[in-house]
Amino acid sequence: MKSFFSGKTVFITGGTGTWGQEFTRQILRTSKPKEIRIYSRNEYQQTLMRRRFDGNKRLSFIIGDVRDRERLTGTMRGVDYVIHLAALKHVPVVEEHPSEAVATNVIGTQNVIDAAIHNGAKKVLFVSSDKAVDPLNFYGVTKLAGEKLIIAANDIPGAKTRFVCYRGGN
């Protein structure tokens, strides 16, 4: 039986984080993807991840930020699936820098939506947080806003890309 990601190109924003590395590990374990593009602004973590995955030829590493719509759109060409993990996630940091959280967690999510539609990606998985449920902090507010954007993207006329939200919790 052919697995879901076999022969496909997967694009993971925030791909050097804990979740991104685990998604990468699972995709490589269960499928033979054509390529997994790890999109992250942290070159040090990219270097470490490249070593952890022993230079796997199916992985490509792209320095970029979801805030940069043009870069995101250009590097997403030919992608089948997008896993959107990039976010400012530490509650105290987000509370201290709310405009940065909006730029990454909200505007960055809209940029991912626009880039995926522009490039004809089949599906985008947005990983949210249990903190988006009746949010008590600004991080939860930004993740809830991201969820609303993702869900609304399914109603964009002419868009063939499908959008899915998943809420992780701890």
Side-chain angles (χ1 to χ4, degrees), residues 48-140:
L48 292 178
M49 186 174 175
R50 188 184 306 264
R51 289 179 189 153
R52 277 186 205 114
F53 284 86
D54 200 27
N56 189 307
K57 300 292 186 216
R58 287 194 171 101
L59 301 184
S60 61
F61 293 87
I62 303 163
I63 298 291
D65 192 321
V66 294
R67 298 172 176 206
D68 183 345
R69 182 185 310 212
E70 188 176 314
R71 174 92 172 131
L72 191 59
T73 301
T75 57
M76 206 182 278
R77 279 192 199 105
V79 164
D80 297 294
Y81 298 102
V82 178
I83 301 170
H84 178 35
L85 301 168
L88 293 183
K89 297 175 176 80
H90 298 279
V91 172
V93 172
V94 170
E95 294 297 322
E96 291 172 8
H97 306 280
S99 63
E100 295 298 310
V102 168
T104 300
N105 299 0
V106 180
I107 297 168
T109 297
Q110 185 62 55
N111 290 344
V112 169
I113 291 166
D114 295 342
I117 291 170
H118 178 83
N119 285 295
K122 292 177 177 67
K123 192 168 285 185
V124 174
L125 170 64
F126 173 70
V127 178
S128 186
S129 166
D130 59 349
K131 291 170 184 63
V133 180
D134 197 19
L136 301 173
N137 55 55
F138 199 69
Y139 169 64

